[in-house]
């Protein structure tokens, strides 16, 4: 199977094209490994500061009831503070 990138001028039908595609693939692997190393290194100081790590907290029944009471008067920051749910989730519900 051959690949031809028209905008980059790379074609895997030639040795130079195969070489260039190999270099691009290696750079992608390097970039991914670099990100995987840096992520935990950034999460540790954030966790030490008490910042949440990971996806936003899901709603449970108690948070939903409490959130609906507060939402009768839409003060978003107060709702977020009381329920512990991120602002986007509060607005969505």
């Amino acid at each position: 199977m051959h690949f031809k990138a028209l905008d980059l001028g790379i074609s895997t039908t030639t040795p130079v094209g195969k070489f260039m595609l190999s270099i691009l693939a290696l750079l992608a692997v390097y970039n991914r490994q670099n990100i995987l190393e840096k992520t935990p290194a950034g999460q540790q100081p954030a966790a030490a500061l008490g910042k949440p790590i990971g996806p936003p907290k899901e709603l449970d029944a108690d948070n939903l009831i409490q959130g609906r009471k507060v939402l009768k008067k839409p003060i978003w920051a107060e709702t977020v503070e009381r329920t512990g749910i991120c602002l986007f989730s509060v607005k969505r519900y």
Side-chain angles (χ1 to χ4, degrees), residues 18-19 31 60 78 84 88 93:
K18 289 178 184 178
F19 174 75
N31 192 27
D60 59 2
E78 184 180 342
F88 298 109
Y93 288 104

Side-chain angles (χ1 to χ4, degrees), residues 19-57:
F19 174 75
M20 290 299 294
L21 193 60
S22 298
I23 295 294
L24 290 175
L26 286 173
L27 287 173
V29 170
Y30 170 76
N31 192 27
R32 177 166 167 68
Q33 291 297 321
N34 207 9
I35 290 170
L36 290 175
E37 281 182 22
K38 289 182 179 182
T39 301
Q43 286 177 343
Q44 290 171 351
L49 294 173
K51 295 183 180 179
I53 296 174
K57 190 166 109 176

Side-chain angles (χ1 to χ4, degrees), residues 32-81:
R32 177 166 167 68
Q33 291 297 321
N34 207 9
I35 290 170
L36 290 175
E37 281 182 22
K38 289 182 179 182
T39 301
Q43 286 177 343
Q44 290 171 351
L49 294 173
K51 295 183 180 179
I53 296 174
K57 190 166 109 176
E58 292 293 322
L59 279 176
D60 59 2
D62 294 335
N63 280 343
L64 184 59
I65 291 168
Q66 189 175 10
R68 283 187 179 156
K69 287 178 185 175
V70 175
L71 282 176
K72 289 182 182 176
K73 51 179 184 175
I75 301 171
W76 303 115
E78 184 180 342
T79 305
V80 169
E81 185 179 321

